[in-house]
Amino acid sequence: MTRAVVRHVAHTIRTHPNTAVRYEAGCQRCAWTAVPSSEGAIVDEQCLVHAGRSNHRVFTRAMTGYAFVVREGESDAPPPVR
């Protein structure tokens, strides 16, 4: 009979501090897309302007960024991003 030892280690996920978040949006009724920005409010404003001009009112929005995982007991310094 083979035995295995299972060890559980607590992990935490954090936003990587050395990278920028990127916000994007696109209209679901036409091919319009917002100019990507590091500020969500700027992209939201572009969507509002497009909606006012076109009466298109459904958009996809995406926020892209980097995160990293820290194991309990290890350094919480973020690794470099490639």
Side-chain angles (χ1 to χ4, degrees), residues 12-20 65-71 74-82:
T12 304
I13 189 163
R14 298 191 179 148
T15 300
H16 199 293
N18 301 331
T19 61
Y66 288 89
F68 68 102
V69 173
V70 177
R71 285 185 179 164
E74 292 184 353
S75 168
D76 62 350
V81 176
R82 293 183 195 185

Side-chain angles (χ1 to χ4, degrees), residues 16-75:
H16 199 293
N18 301 331
T19 61
V21 175
R22 177 181 165 116
Y23 296 90
E24 301 175 71
C27 180
Q28 290 298 289
R29 297 228 11 230
C30 69
W32 177 88
T33 58
V35 176
S37 175
S38 60
E39 295 185 41
I42 291 173
V43 172
D44 288 348
E45 178 68 25
Q46 292 177 61
C47 292
L48 290 167
V49 170
H50 179 72
R53 291 180 178 162
S54 65
N55 199 31
H56 298 169
R57 296 185 288 170
V58 179
F59 299 87
T60 57
R61 292 193 307 174
M63 180 187 80
T64 306
Y66 288 89
F68 68 102
V69 173
V70 177
R71 285 185 179 164
E72 184 178 284
E74 292 184 353
S75 168

